[in-house]
Amino acid sequence: QVQLVESGGGLVQAGGSLRLSCVVSGSIFSINSMGWYRQAPGKQRELVARITSGDSINYADSVKGRFTISRDNAKNTVYLQMNSLKPEDTAVYFCNAQIILRPTIPLLTYWGQGTQVTVSS
């Protein structure tokens, strides 16, 4: 069974930093893109950052210059380094991965359970 397990969330003051990690576990063939989304109370889930298997990266405009996404393919892990955090970054952050379980099976999308990030002013 494939699982995405996030860690690294918490409470931080404005201007501080956090680093989120997401590990993909289970029997898989390969991972295509990996990314981070967030959802604040009363708002829709939105893309924060995404990195493809070819290391192409895109960021939401609101986090450009402050957040950095990276991945370690050997560890099936994606990271999100968040600097200069603002109260408006407060949300539940979800890991997302597009995974190929077997070469003959179409790509599937998986989600982590989410980790809370709270930024106090």
Side-chain angles (χ1 to χ4, degrees):
Q1 183 178 357
V2 176
Q3 286 187 314
L4 275 60
V5 180
E6 301 118 331
S7 61
L11 172 64
V12 65
Q13 288 188 331
S17 299
L18 285 174
R19 188 192 194 207
L20 305 183
S21 300
C22 172
V23 180
V24 177
S25 64
S27 178
I28 64 172
F29 178 72
S30 66
I31 303 174
N32 191 351
S33 64
M34 303 182 80
W36 291 95
Y37 289 70
R38 67 186 181 187
Q39 188 167 18
K43 294 188 176 181
Q44 290 188 332
R45 190 172 299 189
E46 62 175 1
L47 173 69
V48 176
R50 188 166 202 85
I51 181 169
T52 69
S53 56
D55 291 334
S56 176
I57 292 174
N58 61 291
Y59 293 101
D61 287 343
S62 59
V63 306
K64 284 181 180 176
R66 299 188 298 122
F67 290 11
T68 302
I69 189 171
S70 61
R71 63 189 284 174
D72 185 333
N73 294 325
K75 296 181 179 180
N76 288 344
T77 301
V78 63
Y79 305 97
L80 186 68
Q81 178 66 44
M82 306 185 292
N83 298 329
S84 302
L85 282 161
K86 304 175 181 180
E88 50 263 46
D89 294 319
T90 295
V92 178
Y93 284 69
F94 296 89
C95 177
N96 168 283
Q98 295 183 327
I99 296 172
I100 299 174
L101 297 179
R102 302 290 182 269
T104 56
I105 299 176
L107 185 147
L108 297 173
T109 298
Y110 289 84
W111 291 91
Q113 79 285 355
T115 184
Q116 177 70 46
V117 171
T118 302
V119 184
S120 63
S121 58

